[in-house]
Amino acid sequence: MFLRNSKAMRILVCGGAGYIGSHLVRELSTQQGYEIIVLDNLSKGHIKSIPNGIKFEKADIRDKKALERIFSEYKPDAVMHFCASISIEESVADPLGYYENNVVGTIYLLQTMKKHNVKYFIFSSSSAIFGNPKEVPIADNIQPDPINPYGDTKYIVEKILAWSENAYGLKYICLRYFNACGAHESGDIGEDHDPETHLIPLIFQAALGQRSSISIFGNDYDTKDGTCVRDYIHVTDLATAHIKALEYLIRENKSQSFNLGSGGGYTVNEVINAVVDVTGIQFSTIMESRRPGDSAVLIANSTRAEQILGWKRKYDTIEDIVASAWKYHKSHINGYNDR
C-alpha cells in the first residue's frame, strides 16, 4: 500500500491489457493508495481483461505524440512496462521488428518520462538475457549472455536503464522472470495470445481438441528426459512481485535487478503429464527438431527477491499452476473471443 499525503499514486501500466500486465492491474486494483492508467495498443492485449473503472488509453509506446498527451493528461508518478514482443522464435525470424518495438519503443517511453520528470520505472525483463548459463539455478549477478534477439532486446534495455540512472537520476527495478503461466484464481482472466506460443495454453488446446497434437521441440537436450527444462512461475505471483518492487523503489529509492522464479524446474514432458493429470484428457504429442535460440535449462535463484522485497510465492507446484490455468481455459475455450 502506498499513500502520499493522502493522495493516490498514479501508475501508468504500459501493456496492462496483456497477459502479465492484466494480472498486475487486477492485483494492484485491490490495493489502497494507487490510481491505475492502462496504456495498450491491443495488438496482443484484451480490453475485456481490464477491470471496470480502470482508465484505459489505446496507444502505442512508439507513438511519441500519444505518449506526450497521456503523460500531460495523467501526470503519472511511476511507470510499469509490459509492452514487449515476446516470442523467441519470432525474434529470430524478425530481429528488426523486435528491436524496434522492444528497444526503440522503450527509449521513446523513457524520453517522455524524462521530459515529465517521472523517476520510477518497473521493467518487465526476462530470463532470456542469460542465454545458456553455466550455473543453474541462475543468480541475479550472473553475467547476461543472450543467444536470441528477444533476450538481447531485454538486455539492451537493462543497460539503457543503468546509463539513464547515471545521467538523469532514473530509479528502476528490472524483474527477470522465467516462464509465466497460470491464471487468476477467479478464472476470469488468463492467457490468450494470437498466435499462441506458450507451452501450457498450447497443451490445453490439444486437450480441448482445438489442435490435433502438441509439438515437443527436441528430446536430445542434456536433461532428465531430453526435453527442455523451464522454471514455471505463476502469473499472480509475478504480479505481487511487481507491487513489492514498486513499494521498495518508492521506499528505498534504489535501483535493483531481481530474478523471479520458483527455484526449480520441469521438463516439457513433465508439464504435459501434469496437464493430463489435472484434466484427465489424453492427447497426441509429436517430437520435432530443436527450435533455434532455445536454451536447455533455465531455472531461477529468487533468493534476493524474497529477502529484499519480502516476496513470497503462493503457487509452488506445476499441478497447482496448471489447475489455475485449466479453470480459465475450460470456461474460455475461445479465450476472450474479441478478435
Side-chain angles (χ1 to χ4, degrees):
M1 181 181 73
F2 178 86
L3 293 175
R4 182 194 53 189
N5 299 324
S6 300
K7 293 182 180 180
M9 185 177 193
R10 293 180 178 175
I11 312 299
L12 178 63
V13 183
C14 300
Y19 174 46
I20 300 173
S22 65
H23 284 78
L24 175 278
V25 170
R26 180 67 65 96
E27 293 303 307
L28 193 61
S29 68
T30 67
Q31 306 286 314
Q32 291 185 336
Y34 297 105
E35 179 182 341
I36 305 166
I37 306 99
V38 171
L39 180 159
D40 201 297
N41 66 8
L42 297 182
S43 63
K44 300 293 184 181
H46 305 274
I47 192 70
K48 292 181 179 179
S49 71
I50 302 173
N52 292 332
I54 299 295
K55 296 180 175 67
F56 173 74
E57 291 284 346
K58 185 178 179 180
D60 194 298
I61 59 171
R62 293 167 292 182
D63 185 340
K64 289 184 175 182
K65 289 183 179 179
L67 287 178
E68 176 61 29
R69 177 184 62 79
I70 290 166
F71 273 75
S72 296
E73 179 176 347
Y74 294 103
K75 297 177 174 56
D77 298 297
V79 173
M80 292 185 171
H81 179 24
F82 300 89
C83 286
S85 302
I86 61 171
S87 168
I88 289 175
E89 189 173 18
E90 185 181 56
S91 78
V92 174
D94 182 24
L96 293 179
Y98 268 66
Y99 286 101
E100 179 193 12
N101 185 59
N102 294 6
V103 179
V104 176
T106 305
I107 289 173
Y108 290 168
L109 182 58
L110 293 171
Q111 287 173 335
T112 310
M113 288 178 61
K114 175 177 174 290
K115 180 178 179 180
H116 289 265
N117 197 34
V118 180
K119 294 292 187 182
Y120 301 117
F121 190 71
I122 307 294
F123 178 53
S124 168
S125 191
S126 170
S127 63
I129 69 171
F130 296 114
N132 283 314
K134 296 179 181 179
E135 298 178 24
V136 176
I138 303 168
D140 303 73
N141 60 357
I142 289 179
Q143 177 62 37
D145 186 21
I147 59 173
N148 52 65
Y150 166 63
D152 196 44
T153 62
K154 293 291 191 177
Y155 184 38
I156 288 171
V157 170
E158 289 204 14
K159 291 190 288 186
I160 289 172
L161 292 175
W163 287 115
S164 295
E165 178 180 29
N166 181 68
Y168 317 123
L170 174 76
K171 296 299 177 184
Y172 65 90
I173 291 183
C174 297
L175 297 175
R176 301 153 168 174
Y177 11 107
F178 286 58
N179 282 40
C181 49
H184 192 266
E185 62 184 3
S186 66
D188 294 336
I189 59 174
E191 193 163 8
D192 180 8
H193 299 111
D194 184 21
E196 187 57 72
T197 60
H198 289 178
L199 179 61
I200 292 176
L202 286 174
I203 300 174
F204 283 136
Q205 288 179 6
L208 290 166
Q210 294 172 307
R211 60 174 56 235
S212 59
S213 61
I214 186 71
S215 294
I216 301 172
F217 296 98
N219 63 348
D220 57 349
Y221 289 96
D222 186 17
T223 62
K224 67 175 71 173
D225 61 25
T227 62
C228 289
V229 172
R230 293 292 181 268
D231 189 339
Y232 293 89
I233 179 73
H234 196 278
V235 65
T236 298
D237 287 334
L238 288 179
T240 59
H242 282 78
I243 297 172
K244 291 287 188 182
L246 179 62
E247 292 172 345
Y248 173 90
L249 198 57
I250 302 306
R251 182 177 67 250
E252 302 294 337
N253 198 41
K254 182 179 180 181
S255 297
Q256 292 271 12
S257 296
F258 297 104
N259 291 349
L260 298 179
S262 67
Y266 297 92
T267 68
V268 173
N269 284 336
E270 288 174 327
V271 176
I272 290 172
N273 291 336
V275 172
V276 172
D277 290 343
V278 168
T279 65
I281 301 172
Q282 296 286 341
F283 46 85
S284 298
T285 60
I286 296 176
M287 188 59 61
E288 304 204 34
S289 58
R290 294 187 183 190
R291 293 180 300 188
D294 269 349
S295 304
V297 179
L298 288 175
I299 299 173
N301 182 335
S302 301
T303 302
R304 286 187 64 255
E306 294 163 4
Q307 293 177 342
I308 296 175
L309 300 180
W311 174 59
K312 294 181 180 180
R313 295 183 306 277
K314 179 179 178 181
Y315 296 85
D316 287 325
T317 70
I318 193 63
E319 289 78 15
D320 288 342
I321 289 170
V322 166
S324 75
W326 180 235
K327 185 176 182 180
Y328 168 78
H329 283 280
K330 69 181 180 181
S331 62
H332 296 76
I333 295 177
N334 296 312
Y336 291 102
N337 198 28
D338 57 357
R339 299 295 186 194

